[in-house]
Amino acid sequence: MKALITGASNGIGKEMAIYLSELGYDLYLVARSKNKLEELKRELKTEVNVYEYDLSIIDNCYKLYELLKDEKIDIVINNAGFGVFCNYSDDTLDKEINMIDLNVKCLHILTKLFVNNKHTKRILNVSSSAGLMKGGPLMSGYYGTKSYVCSYSFALYEELRRNKSDKKISVLCPGPVDTGFNKRANVRFNLKSLDARYVARYAIDKMFKNKLIIIPGFAVRMGIFFSRFLPTKILLRISYNIQKKKDKKKK
Ligand SMILES: NC(=O)c1ccc[n+]([C@@H]2O[C@H](COP(=O)([O-])OP(=O)(O)OC[C@H]3O[C@@H](n4cnc5c(N)ncnc54)[C@H](OP(=O)(O)O)[C@@H]3O)[C@@H](O)[C@H]2O)c1
């Protein structure tokens, strides 16, 4: 049994690696921080291969697939991702494009290649509760990338089902999780965060139960459910007010 996890050096991806290793999976772990991956490798009992790749560089996504396509990988977890906190007028375009390359293009490429690999039976794409909302002012591009992940994965789920494929796709949509995400996005969360270990284990367990949409945490599930009944303009105002409290520059 073998699993590939992108973004395994920290946070949710790292906890998923620990759990899958406990379940007996040999692992292929990818991130930019080789040291952190090597450290994790030393902690795990199963066989672990680490790959130092910046997956926002599209060529690296293809290179990774070429390296791993014959490794008989059962599970692919597209987890690597980050957010950019910005107003429309901020000088953040390069960062936002880099985020789209990682959160969208890399995930799409690896999903498309592995879903057509005869050995791969499960794909778990890490989106966010943001992906189920109607837009997130002040994290507009990030919410857009996560909506893409949901929309793309949901559609593939139905194509696989219609084709009577034995392959399964699941999408993880967590609310705030206590990881390195905030630091990179340069924000602070104003809502209670879930523990990364809990989220990772919950997600893997639900993936094995063939769940399509995986939302850890009752409060987030309720928030998403009730948001459906609110008009878009009202939702956007609420969302802006929640998001602006994340701004570290404001007291
Ligand atoms: N934390 C939250 O509140 C939250 C909520 C909803 C969804 N999510 C999603 O959960 C996923 C994991 O995030 P996290 O919260 O665990 O954050 P994290 O602690 O910052 O971990 C992100 C992981 O992605 C890797 N990564 C980042 N940029 C990369 C790149 N260019 N190439 C390869 N790997 C890269 C990082 O490793 P290196 O830095 O070593 O490359 C790290 O292993 C993301 O897709 C995020 O959008 C997080």
Side-chain angles (χ1 to χ4, degrees):
M1 299 188 298
K2 297 178 177 181
L4 162 66
I5 306 173
T6 69
S9 64
N10 206 51
I12 299 169
K14 180 179 176 182
E15 292 297 337
M16 285 177 166
I18 294 169
Y19 189 37
L20 281 171
S21 177
E22 284 171 18
L23 296 177
Y25 280 81
D26 292 334
L27 298 173
Y28 298 82
L29 305 181
V30 193
R32 294 166 305 170
S33 317
K34 195 166 185 205
N35 291 349
K36 287 191 189 174
L37 292 175
E38 293 287 2
E39 203 177 296
L40 177 59
K41 177 179 173 166
R42 286 192 286 278
E43 282 175 32
L44 302 178
K45 300 267 185 295
T46 51
E47 195 182 312
V48 178
N49 302 279
V50 305
Y51 300 89
E52 181 188 8
Y53 273 127
D54 182 341
L55 293 173
S56 66
I57 299 170
I58 299 311
D59 252 11
N60 286 343
C61 304
Y62 291 106
K63 278 186 197 156
L64 183 70
Y65 183 72
E66 280 307 307
L67 273 177
L68 300 183
K69 67 181 181 192
D70 298 321
E71 293 294 319
K72 301 188 178 168
I73 292 176
D74 307 275
I75 300 175
V76 172
I77 302 182
N78 284 304
N79 165 74
F82 72 98
V84 178
F85 185 86
C86 60
N87 205 341
Y88 70 94
S89 54
D90 292 341
D91 180 17
T92 45
L93 186 56
D94 287 349
K95 270 194 204 167
E96 291 171 63
I97 298 299
N98 186 248
M99 173 182 69
I100 292 168
D101 287 343
L102 182 65
N103 295 12
V104 173
K105 288 192 191 169
C106 167
L107 179 137
H108 189 116
I109 291 165
L110 293 180
T111 301
K112 178 86 179 174
L113 294 175
F114 277 105
V115 82
N116 288 298
N117 182 304
K118 65 177 184 220
H119 303 293
T120 303
K121 297 293 174 231
R122 290 186 185 281
I123 295 180
L124 173 58
N125 283 339
V126 179
S127 177
S128 164
S129 55
L132 299 170
M133 298 299 195
K134 291 178 180 166
L138 303 179
M139 284 192 101
S140 52
Y142 177 71
Y143 273 59
T145 65
K146 293 303 180 180
S147 292
Y148 184 95
V149 174
C150 285
S151 174
Y152 175 56
S153 310
F154 296 165
L156 289 197
Y157 169 90
E158 182 59 11
E159 289 177 15
L160 291 168
R161 195 186 69 80
R162 292 284 171 133
N163 210 32
K164 299 195 172 28
S165 170
D166 60 346
K167 294 170 190 284
K168 302 285 178 211
I169 188 157
S170 300
V171 194
L172 173 61
C173 300
V177 188
D178 192 10
T179 65
F181 181 88
N182 280 355
K183 196 170 167 215
R184 183 144 184 213
N186 200 22
V187 295
R188 59 174 173 219
F189 279 143
N190 48 336
L191 301 169
K192 198 173 173 300
S193 301
L194 290 177
D195 176 47
R197 185 171 191 266
Y198 167 77
V199 169
R201 283 162 194 253
Y202 183 89
I204 302 275
D205 290 344
K206 295 289 180 192
M207 173 192 73
F208 282 125
K209 288 183 178 154
N210 301 332
K211 289 278 179 209
L212 170 59
I213 309 176
I214 302 169
I215 309 173
F218 181 73
V220 177
R221 276 199 294 282
M222 286 301 102
I224 289 167
F225 178 77
F226 286 111
S227 72
R228 288 180 202 156
F229 304 108
L230 288 175
T232 302
K233 285 183 181 175
I234 301 290
L235 265 178
L236 291 171
R237 281 181 199 191
I238 296 170
S239 179
Y240 184 92
N241 286 329
I242 295 173
Q243 292 291 110
K244 87 173 173 205
K245 290 188 188 139
K246 291 183 184 171
D247 192 349
K248 275 187 169 172
K249 288 173 277 196
K250 301 229 167 73
K251 285 269 157 74

